[in-house]
Amino acid sequence: MIRCLGAAIWIGGCGGRAGVRAVALGMLAAALGSGCGGKTTAGAPLPVAAPEVLVATAMSKSLPEWVEAVGSLLPQEEVTVAPEVGGTVAEVGVDFGDRVERGTVLLRLDDRELKLRAEAARAALAQADAVLAQVRAAHQRALALRAQRLLAEEGFDAAVRELRVAEANREAAAKQLAIAEKHAADAVLRSPVAGYVAARLVSAGQYLPPYTPAVRLVVVDPLRVRFELPERFAGRIRAGQRLEVEVAGLSEKGLAGEVTRIGAALDPSTRSLPVEGELRNPEGKLRPGHFARVRLDLGMRLSVVVPRAALDTFAGVDRVYVVHPGGRLEMRPVVPASDLGEELAIAEGLRGGEIVAVSRLEELADGMVVQPVRDRGP
């Protein structure tokens, strides 16, 4: 009979082999005693083995670096066209959404009165030309008489004054004709740009005073894309850098463009830098006002790369477990930079050469001791 009562062992029988058995059974009882209550005979707790955790080395690699932002598409130009003369709208040649080229007729005003004014100005100019011809002939005669000493200086001076007045009248009549002809031409309103009609603001039969907005146009090729970047990138942005733009709901992916303008100062409320780029839009499929996902190429940069399995996210915080000598864990917040498929580039929080855990992350905690096992891959 063997009973677990402290360290006491009772064995039936004695002598010879029984004594050997007694010793053997005593050793067995001592071993079994450790399982009765989970303590050794000395009362000390058994050591708990540290869990095995797969680990990998954070590698330093030269990678193309991209920064992502959300921006808005803006027209290259936005023009509100208005006639310089007043009149009744006789015809509207375009409507909302129409594509227009430079010089396309947008609307026509009733120009009958303007043409009559131009004809009157033309007749006034012809009359001024006739008067000027007569005065010039008189001036030539005065010159000849003066040379023969047959005309007094007062008479010659009068002839000169008449010539100057006639020349001035002729010049004024010519300018009045130019203005009248311009007003007649302004009765036809043409597009100053190639783009699209964003709004038609008038209708046929409506009286339009001078400089009243009539049509609003937008230029969409190229388009501008405006976005903001965190201040840590401010020193790395330059004109001409490549960017890619994606717009939700459209089939195009990664439309190529480049940085064209960089803000002169950070936004004091967000500590971010405004940046503008341009992208071609020859078919006009993209529209101003779209939200856009922008990826900006910052060039090659030495980055820290870890397996994707090393990243743990809790309460919105990205973190890794760094394994120090002796197996002690340090929970380290990090900032992921880019997704490389099976690997992740880390922008902040980790150095190349450090060892990170890549398994059982949900069981780990800061300060915990583990047995690191090198991940040999599949």
Side-chain angles (χ1 to χ4, degrees), residues 89 91-95 98 100 104-108 197 200 215:
V89 178
E91 176 189 357
V92 180
V94 296
D95 207 343
D98 288 348
V100 298
T104 297
V105 175
L106 304 177
L107 62 83
R108 299 177 186 273
V197 177
R200 174 174 66 86
V215 179

Side-chain angles (χ1 to χ4, degrees), residues 25 31 70 85 132 137 192 198 215 237-238 273 330 337:
L25 291 174
V70 175
V85 295
L132 179 59
V215 179
I237 307 302
R238 64 183 184 279
L273 179 69
E330 176 194 355

Side-chain angles (χ1 to χ4, degrees), residues 154-213:
E154 291 82 358
F156 179 74
D157 290 342
V160 171
R161 287 194 298 272
E162 289 179 1
L163 176 61
R164 291 176 178 172
V165 170
E167 290 176 340
N169 288 340
R170 197 273 173 193
E171 182 178 358
K175 290 180 178 178
Q176 289 297 323
L177 175 59
I179 292 173
E181 289 178 338
K182 181 181 183 303
H183 285 172
D186 288 343
V188 179
L189 194 63
R190 299 180 182 273
S191 174
V193 296
Y196 288 85
V197 177
R200 174 174 66 86
L201 306 175
V202 297
S203 300
Q206 175 182 345
Y207 178 78
L208 206 60
Y211 304 106
T212 301

Side-chain angles (χ1 to χ4, degrees), residues 39-327:
K39 294 186 179 181
T40 65
T41 55
L46 286 175
V48 178
E52 292 186 352
V53 172
L54 296 179
V55 298
T57 303
M59 306 297 293
S60 295
K61 296 182 180 180
S62 184
L63 299 173
E65 185 179 14
W66 296 78
V67 59
E68 295 187 351
V70 175
S72 297
L73 298 185
L74 305 174
Q76 183 66 21
E77 299 287 347
E78 187 169 353
V79 182
T80 300
V81 185
E84 296 185 21
V85 295
T88 301
V89 178
E91 176 189 357
V92 180
V94 296
D95 207 343
F96 169 75
D98 288 348
R99 183 184 180 94
V100 298
E101 302 297 333
R102 184 185 296 270
T104 297
V105 175
L106 304 177
L107 62 83
R108 299 177 186 273
L109 299 177
D110 184 347
D111 61 354
R112 288 174 294 179
E113 181 178 350
L114 298 174
K115 287 181 177 179
L116 289 174
R117 290 178 182 176
E119 290 177 5
R122 194 173 293 109
L125 177 61
Q127 182 179 2
D129 283 337
V131 171
L132 179 59
Q134 293 177 355
V135 173
R136 280 177 175 168
H139 181 260
Q140 290 297 323
R141 290 192 298 270
L143 281 174
L145 292 174
R146 183 170 178 262
Q148 298 174 10
R149 299 181 183 275
L150 297 177
L151 182 64
E153 288 297 323
E154 291 82 358
F156 179 74
D157 290 342
V160 171
R161 287 194 298 272
E162 289 179 1
L163 176 61
R164 291 176 178 172
V165 170
E167 290 176 340
N169 288 340
R170 197 273 173 193
E171 182 178 358
K175 290 180 178 178
Q176 289 297 323
L177 175 59
I179 292 173
E181 289 178 338
K182 181 181 183 303
H183 285 172
D186 288 343
V188 179
L189 194 63
R190 299 180 182 273
S191 174
V193 296
Y196 288 85
V197 177
R200 174 174 66 86
L201 306 175
V202 297
S203 300
Q206 175 182 345
Y207 178 78
L208 206 60
Y211 304 106
T212 301
V215 179
R216 184 159 55 87
L217 305 172
V218 291
V219 179
V220 298
D221 184 26
L223 273 177
R224 292 188 294 160
V225 55
R226 181 176 296 170
F227 54 97
E228 294 185 346
L229 294 177
E231 61 179 328
R232 68 177 181 273
F233 297 108
R236 303 180 59 192
I237 307 302
R238 64 183 184 279
Q241 281 178 310
R242 184 167 63 98
L243 55 83
E244 294 181 358
V245 176
E246 295 181 6
V247 177
L250 297 180
S251 60
E252 289 81 2
K253 296 295 183 181
L255 295 169
E258 65 177 28
V259 174
T260 54
R261 300 170 186 85
I262 302 170
L266 297 177
D267 185 329
S269 61
T270 61
R271 300 297 176 186
S272 56
L273 179 69
V275 181
E276 276 192 6
E278 283 187 357
L279 65 154
R280 296 304 308 274
N281 185 32
E283 299 181 2
K285 291 184 178 180
L286 299 177
R287 293 286 191 267
H290 273 305
F291 281 111
R293 185 178 184 87
V294 182
R295 298 180 72 238
L296 177 63
D297 184 1
L298 297 178
M300 302 299 290
R301 184 179 178 87
L302 190 63
S303 303
V304 178
V305 177
V306 298
R308 174 184 289 276
L311 187 68
D312 181 43
T313 301
F314 180 76
V317 177
D318 294 316
R319 59 191 188 178
V320 298
Y321 286 97
V322 178
V323 183
H324 291 285

